[in-house]
């Protein structure tokens, strides 16, 4: 029963203590950004000089101090590493970036640059940051944006060093590589996948049955507001949070069978398109529990969570 915490929020005096107070409501897990969507790293990783060279390293928190505090409080600590969407790395080291046909750095519709999934130096950079957090005492490393781009002119992307391997095998090989380096440090591994990744091939390299073999847990992002009208036969998935989560997790449970990976979804605790309160969040929680999920994580980009949404099963 966990929540997402940004590195910026973790840096505010007293903010982590506010989140720790949610233990009274049932909180037992915090997911904290190691590297976020902007490519910023939440601490100064002296063992990864590339983070300093590209301007990614920021002194938001001290990983060992945070890990020690949460361990003392009995909180399970997950470190989030946003992998291939990485404007800091792509702009600071353009030889590691996705390119356009004219050789410039490729960007999404919102102007965010991506690093190259085919480049093993990108793999090393991300896993090296994860290693720093693991050695500092984080319990789990969770990879996000562990995929190929999905928005913008994706047909116009030039992948330097591209091989004949399909995206689904590239992402699986990255996770295999990460597991070989991180498991000896005693951390668990997980990954965030699109909510429809188990329903059909999205062309971004996320094949749950292939990726689950290298992970301890898979966290589908089954936010009802992100599904189009008509998905799963629902006129408005956002108006049916329980049903939407149930349909999506049914597909994930099928695809993960035999992989060894637990199912632990991200659920929506924010309003987009319609107002979500405790009833809507608990509908998702109950659906996840009925589908055999081993816990759940709540996502709110503003870091504000609904009272009562983290209560254990009565």
């Amino acid at each position: 029963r966990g929540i997402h915490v940004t590195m910026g929020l973790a840096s505010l005096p007293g903010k982590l203590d506010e989140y720790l107070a949610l233990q009274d409501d049932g909180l037992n897990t915090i997911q904290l950004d190691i590297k976020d969507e902007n490519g910023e790293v939440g601490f100064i990783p002296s063992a990864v000089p590339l983070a300093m060279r590209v301007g990614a390293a920021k002194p938001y928190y001290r990983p060992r101090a945070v890990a020690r505090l949460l361990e003392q409080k009995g909180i399970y600590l997950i470190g989030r590493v946003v992998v291939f969407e990485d404007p800091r790395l792509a702009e600071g080291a353009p030889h590691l970036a996705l390119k356009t046909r004219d050789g410039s750095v490729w960007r999404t519709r919102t102007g965010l640059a991506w690093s190259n999934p085919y480049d093993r130096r990108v793999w090393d950079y991300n896993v090296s940051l994860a290693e720093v957090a693991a050695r500092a005492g984080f319990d789990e490393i969770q990879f996000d944006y562990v995929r190929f781009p999905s928005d913008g002119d994706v047909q116009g992307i030039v992948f330097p060093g591209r091989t004949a391997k399909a995206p689904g095998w590239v992402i699986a090989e990255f996770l295999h590589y990460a597991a070989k380096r991180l498991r000896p440090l005693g951390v668990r591994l997980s990954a965030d996948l699109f909510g429809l990744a188990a329903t059909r091939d999205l062309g971004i390299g996320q094949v749950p049955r292939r990726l689950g073999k290298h992970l301890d847990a898979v966290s589908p992002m089954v936010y009802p507001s992100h599904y189009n009208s008509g998905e799963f036969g629902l006129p408005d998935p956002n108006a049916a949070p329980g049903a939407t989560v149930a349909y999506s997790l049914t597909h994930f449970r099928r695809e993960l069978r035999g992989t060894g990976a637990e199912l632990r979804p991200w659920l929506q605790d924010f309003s987009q398109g319609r107002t979500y309160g405790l009833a809507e969040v608990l509908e998702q929680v109950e659906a996840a529990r009925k589908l055999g999920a081993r816990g759940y994580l709540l996502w709110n980009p503003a870091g504000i969570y609904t009272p009562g949404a983290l209560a254990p099963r009565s």
Side-chain angles (χ1 to χ4, degrees):
R1 300 184 301 276
I3 58 172
H4 163 66
V5 177
T6 68
M7 58 183 71
L9 287 171
S11 73
L12 298 177
K15 196 65 179 177
L16 271 180
D17 291 327
E18 285 184 31
Y19 287 126
L20 289 172
L22 294 174
Q23 281 185 281
D24 294 337
D25 292 331
L27 175 80
N28 60 21
T29 300
I30 284 179
Q31 188 237 40
L32 175 62
D33 283 338
I34 295 171
K35 179 161 72 80
D36 68 9
E37 299 91 332
N38 298 310
E40 289 193 344
V41 178
F43 48 85
I44 307 298
S46 56
V48 191
L50 181 56
M52 271 73 80
R53 289 204 300 271
V54 300
K58 304 292 180 181
Y60 285 107
Y61 63 86
R62 291 182 296 149
R64 194 170 297 278
V66 170
R68 188 180 303 117
L69 171 64
L70 268 61
E71 181 182 21
Q72 291 170 351
K73 298 294 185 179
I75 295 291
Y76 185 74
L77 177 57
I78 302 172
R80 175 180 179 241
V81 177
V82 173
V83 184
F84 296 117
E85 181 178 278
D86 194 332
R88 291 281 182 176
L89 182 63
E91 292 163 5
H95 60 288
L96 301 178
L98 297 183
K99 301 294 182 64
T100 64
R101 293 187 181 95
D102 66 9
S104 61
V105 173
W106 180 88
R107 300 176 190 277
T108 64
R109 280 192 296 269
T110 55
L112 297 174
W114 279 59
S115 59
N116 185 2
Y118 288 97
D119 198 314
R120 295 278 178 137
R121 294 169 295 184
V122 173
W123 295 14
D124 174 71
Y125 176 64
N126 283 279
V127 176
S128 294
L129 292 171
E131 282 182 334
V132 173
R135 294 183 190 280
F138 281 59
D139 299 299
E140 178 178 318
I141 301 299
Q142 186 173 77
F143 294 110
D144 200 359
Y145 288 78
V146 60
R147 59 178 176 83
F148 282 63
S150 62
D151 78 290
D153 180 17
V154 294
Q155 299 304 316
I157 298 175
V158 173
F159 295 90
R162 184 173 188 168
T163 68
K165 284 191 175 70
W169 286 111
V170 174
I171 300 303
E173 287 187 4
F174 165 73
L175 290 177
H176 177 64
Y177 166 84
K180 286 179 67 175
R181 285 183 55 180
L182 293 169
R183 287 200 190 281
L185 301 179
V187 288
R188 286 165 55 86
L189 300 178
S190 61
D192 301 329
L193 305 187
F194 274 6
L196 285 170
T199 302
R200 55 181 174 271
D201 185 358
L202 302 174
I204 56 173
Q206 292 187 340
V207 183
R209 65 181 177 278
R210 196 174 291 162
L211 305 186
K213 297 174 182 177
H214 308 295
L215 300 168
D216 296 291
V218 167
S219 291
M221 299 175 287
V222 290
Y223 314 131
S225 63
H226 287 34
Y227 293 79
N228 292 326
S229 175
E231 194 67 58
F232 305 129
L234 300 171
D236 182 2
N238 203 16
T244 302
V245 168
Y247 278 119
S248 190
L249 293 188
T250 296
H251 295 171
F252 270 96
R253 190 170 68 171
R254 178 194 66 216
E255 293 300 304
L256 292 175
R257 190 173 294 124
T259 66
E262 295 178 354
L263 185 60
R264 188 189 58 202
W266 280 103
L267 304 178
Q268 178 172 331
D269 193 6
F270 59 89
S271 298
Q272 183 174 312
R274 65 173 52 240
T275 301
Y276 267 44
L278 181 60
E280 288 76 16
V281 178
L282 290 183
E283 271 192 51
Q284 299 171 76
V285 171
E286 186 58 28
R289 284 174 170 157
K290 286 181 178 178
L291 266 296
R294 298 296 298 272
Y296 59 93
L297 300 164
L298 299 181
W299 182 272
N300 184 318
I304 302 169
Y305 296 97
T306 301
L310 294 163
R313 186 194 294 268
S314 58

